């Protein structure tokens, strides 16, 4: 029982907050900040590269960029859940 309590305490200190991820997505989602927060750096870089490419092409890639940003609103939920599961597993290994 003591181990489970330690795991839960460590997990609660390290887990990612859905509300924080959505707030970052709302205010800085164009830069992929919500993905970087959730630990999905590959998606964060994809959003940044698409933003840069859209600006360089004068909006030629805007449709693709807009789809990725809109997709991020739904995708963020699953990314945060996956990251939290990985954090919980890390906590089990650390305490276990």
């Amino acid at each position: 029982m003591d181990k489970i309590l330690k795991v839960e305490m460590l997990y609660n200190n390290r887990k990612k907050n859905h509300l924080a991820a959505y707030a970052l997505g709302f205010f800085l989602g164009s830069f992929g900040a919500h993905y970087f927060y959730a630990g999905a750096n590959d998606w964060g870089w994809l959003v940044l590269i698409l933003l840069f490419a859209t600006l360089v092409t004068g909006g030629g890639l805007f449709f693709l960029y807009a789809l990725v940003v809109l997709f991020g609103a739904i995708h963020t939920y699953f990314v945060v859940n996956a990251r939290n599961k990985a954090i919980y597993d890390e906590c089990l290994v650390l305490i276990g």
Side-chain angles (χ1 to χ4, degrees):
M1 178 85 143
D2 190 33
K3 264 188 191 180
I4 293 173
L5 183 60
K6 287 180 183 178
V7 168
E8 289 296 324
M9 287 173 56
L10 185 61
Y11 170 71
N12 285 333
N13 287 331
R14 291 184 173 191
K15 72 179 180 178
K16 303 298 180 181
N17 187 324
H18 281 90
L19 184 60
Y22 279 119
L24 283 169
F26 183 78
F27 292 109
L28 298 170
S30 299
F31 302 102
H34 54 303
Y35 286 127
F36 289 115
Y37 168 76
N41 294 339
D42 50 348
W43 281 96
W45 284 112
L46 173 69
V47 171
L48 273 177
I49 290 168
L50 275 175
L51 172 63
F52 179 72
T54 300
L55 294 174
V56 168
T57 60
L61 296 174
F62 179 74
F63 182 72
L64 178 61
Y65 174 72
L67 282 177
V68 170
V69 170
L70 290 175
F71 172 73
I74 299 167
H75 189 234
T76 299
Y77 175 80
F78 296 105
V79 169
V80 171
N81 280 348
R83 181 64 184 144
N84 283 341
K85 183 183 179 331
I87 289 171
Y88 190 81
D89 292 342
E90 291 171 10
C91 292
L92 282 174
V93 169
L94 285 174
I95 301 297

